[in-house]
Amino acid sequence: MGILEKIKDIELEMSRTQKNKATEGHLGILKSKLAKLRTSLLAPPTKGGSNEGDGFEVSKYGHGRVALIGFPSVGKSTLLTLATGTDSEAAAYEFTTLTCIPGVIHYNGAKIQLLDLPGIIEGASDGKGRGRQVIAVAKSSDLILMVLDGTKSEAANSQYAHKEILTRELEAVGLRLNQTPPQIYIKAKHSGGVQVNNVVPGGLTRMTDATVLKVLAEYKIHHCELLFREDASVDQLIDALEGNRKYIKCLYVYNKVDALTMEEVDSLSRRPNSVCISCHLELGMDRMLRRVWDSMGLVRVYTKTPGKKPDFDEPVVLADHRGGCKVKNFCNQIHNTLAKTLKYAQVWGVSTKHMGQRVGLKHLLGDEDVVQIVKGDKPVNPK
């Protein structure tokens, strides 16, 4: 029996099992087996296997990477053309785009790489429609734009579930959209058994200690220290044990809203992490770019030479997902030895208590700060 058949059998058994306290441990074991099978399914192929990923490998460029994910014919290629000026073939039939097409968004002095990926279908996590290659590129991105058809959205059609299908396919390969890593501490030991503790007021309510032990036994962990700092679920415990989950922000972009009523557009725009646009009429593009900028958390820092005016033409762009936004990261962007010879830095902007404040390497910079570097004679410890 292959891996896909085993996954289908486990999913069928889970759908038939009633959810209650008596079956909680059994469902935990099934979820653990399912997670391990999906991890083995995503393992790289052997040397003799076929290379199915040709055409999808794109080198990173700019200060961030954004991937367009969606079903076929929802307007991803048109959105890429409007946002970047890159020509991407668009037509009135599905699967127009067959490979990864990159473009660059120039916004607020930063360069953001935008990737137009082929449309994915239900079952993409199992390899249908080259879905694994598409999702693999999405895992290397800093932000996902999930493009949805507004005319078929839940506001216009209650039976439409493309958002849930896409979320399920991405989660099946280890992507966690708009979530934070679970606050679970795990330390392996050589003896002493399993010690389960928590600092949650009221204790764990979403699973029992017996379920925790069964999940650990499924992963062949019989000696460890386990500390819960939040009321986690079985799925979060499995994510912590797997250790290969990618937590990424996602912005839901509803296209073709020009065909909806004002009430339907208002309903969609009020949903969390959602923005409404119309590529046909070029509506909402500026608002979408602002949401992309805010979601990526990019920080612009301008340089200043002593005795001269700041250089506002070419900012140094920092981000938490690419090293950090401290003075040390700013120095490393300019030169890898600058942090070692730094005496102090003068900062003007929102991150300081007063203008021209002297700060060290650990100072956290804000957007549009101005930094002047003063070098010392002796090297300092950059830690």
Side-chain angles (χ1 to χ4, degrees), residues 63-334:
H63 304 106
R65 170 180 279 194
V66 179
L68 295 175
I69 290 289
F71 274 77
S73 297
V74 294
K76 298 187 297 298
S77 299
T78 307
L79 177 58
L80 176 77
T81 303
L82 291 175
T84 67
T86 303
D87 290 332
S88 181
E89 184 181 358
Y93 55 87
E94 295 184 348
F95 298 105
T96 309
T97 304
L98 299 177
T99 185
C100 179
I101 301 176
V104 179
I105 301 174
H106 296 272
Y107 188 75
N108 285 343
K111 300 174 183 177
I112 303 173
Q113 187 180 46
L114 185 64
L115 302 180
D116 179 19
L117 299 173
I120 62 177
I121 58 177
E122 189 171 5
S125 59
D126 297 331
K128 293 183 179 179
R130 301 187 75 180
R132 290 187 207 166
Q133 288 75 28
V134 175
I135 297 175
V137 176
K139 292 183 74 171
S140 66
S141 304
D142 304 313
L143 176 70
I144 289 179
L145 288 185
M146 187 181 292
V147 186
L148 303 166
D149 191 341
T151 60
K152 301 177 182 178
S153 64
E154 298 87 338
N157 184 358
S158 60
Q159 301 298 321
Y160 184 79
H162 277 192
K163 179 180 175 181
E164 287 73 18
I165 294 174
L166 290 171
T167 302
R168 186 169 62 248
E169 295 296 331
L170 294 175
E171 288 185 347
V173 294
L175 278 173
R176 298 293 179 263
L177 305 181
N178 298 323
Q179 298 181 25
T180 56
Q183 298 297 313
I184 301 175
Y185 169 77
I186 304 173
K187 180 180 179 181
K189 300 191 303 182
H190 296 291
S191 61
V194 176
Q195 296 179 359
V196 181
N197 300 300
N198 70 84
V199 292
V200 182
L204 299 178
T205 60
R206 304 171 71 180
M207 60 179 166
T208 62
D209 289 349
T211 303
V212 173
L213 295 176
K214 289 182 180 180
V215 172
L216 291 175
E218 182 63 32
Y219 281 90
K220 295 180 174 57
I221 300 176
H222 305 289
H223 305 282
C224 73
E225 291 182 9
L226 193 61
L227 176 63
F228 290 89
R229 295 190 175 95
E230 65 172 323
D231 190 10
S233 64
V234 177
D235 294 322
Q236 290 177 310
L237 174 60
I238 293 173
D239 289 346
L241 292 173
E242 287 286 341
N244 58 355
R245 304 310 190 213
K246 175 72 180 293
Y247 296 86
I248 187 171
K249 292 184 178 180
C250 178
L251 192 62
Y252 304 101
V253 180
Y254 290 93
N255 190 22
K256 306 179 184 179
V257 296
D258 53 295
L260 300 178
T261 64
M262 291 299 295
E263 291 76 11
E264 292 171 340
V265 175
D266 182 69
S267 175
L268 290 175
S269 61
R270 291 179 182 273
R271 296 183 177 182
N273 305 307
S274 299
V275 60
C276 295
I277 66 169
S278 172
C279 292
H280 177 63
L281 299 179
E282 300 185 15
L283 297 176
M285 299 301 296
D286 292 337
R287 178 176 175 81
M288 185 199 71
L289 292 177
R290 286 198 302 269
R291 294 292 298 273
V292 168
W293 177 269
D294 295 337
S295 299
M296 297 187 71
L298 299 178
V299 174
R300 293 163 293 173
V301 181
Y302 300 100
T303 58
K304 181 183 181 302
T305 304
K308 297 183 180 180
K309 293 183 179 181
D311 180 14
F312 292 109
D313 295 330
E314 194 73 23
V316 177
V317 181
L318 307 174
D320 287 331
H321 59 267
R322 294 205 171 190
C325 300
K326 296 182 179 181
V327 174
K328 178 182 176 182
N329 309 116
F330 170 78
C331 293
N332 291 334
Q333 285 264 20
I334 299 175

